[in-house]
Amino acid sequence: MEKKVLFFAGTKFKVDYVFDGHKKSHEAILAQTFEEDFVFQVIAISGFDAGLIKGYIHKEFSDIHAVTYNYLYKEAEKMIYSKIIKLEITDFSYSEEI
């Protein structure tokens, strides 16, 4: 069985993506949310929109408040950032290998 890393609230990441034909970069943090069907809200931590909620990540697991890298990438592209070029976890402090 392949080991997976789970990322919890407090995980920070940087994403490079394309918006309206322009390459953009963004730094964000996964934060706890109480919205039904979602595990995290994504909050900007840099730039003009620092401190603003950028979007939400659906639950991957029914009993764990965490996500895997592949799921985070897929959800971030679907729900927040169109056309992701690169998504890099920049703070691994809030992760656990299973």
Side-chain angles (χ1 to χ4, degrees):
M1 182 167 122
E2 182 182 329
K3 290 187 177 185
K4 292 185 180 185
V5 177
L6 296 179
F7 298 99
F8 295 87
T11 298
K12 295 176 188 168
F13 64 93
K14 180 181 178 190
V15 61
D16 296 329
Y17 63 102
V18 176
F19 181 75
D20 284 341
H22 300 284
K23 183 180 174 188
K24 307 269 186 179
S25 287
H26 205 247
E27 291 179 278
I29 189 168
L30 298 178
Q32 181 180 21
T33 186
F34 297 102
E35 297 290 327
E36 194 169 329
D37 298 327
F38 296 100
V39 65
F40 297 121
Q41 54 188 336
V42 175
I43 299 175
I45 58 173
S46 67
F48 71 93
D49 54 355
L52 298 179
I53 298 170
K54 301 305 295 177
Y56 294 86
I57 303 296
H58 285 100
K59 291 179 182 177
E60 181 175 7
F61 306 103
S62 61
D63 58 342
I64 302 172
H65 295 286
V67 292
T68 59
Y69 175 84
N70 289 339
Y71 188 82
L72 174 61
Y73 188 104
K74 182 181 92 176
E75 278 288 296
E77 189 164 57
K78 176 181 164 189
M79 301 293 291
I80 307 164
Y81 308 104
S82 60
K83 300 178 184 174
I84 292 178
I85 299 166
K86 178 181 175 184
L87 189 148
E88 175 186 8
I89 304 295
T90 58
D91 186 342
F92 292 91
S93 302
Y94 304 98
S95 63
E96 181 179 313
E97 190 173 42
I98 59 168

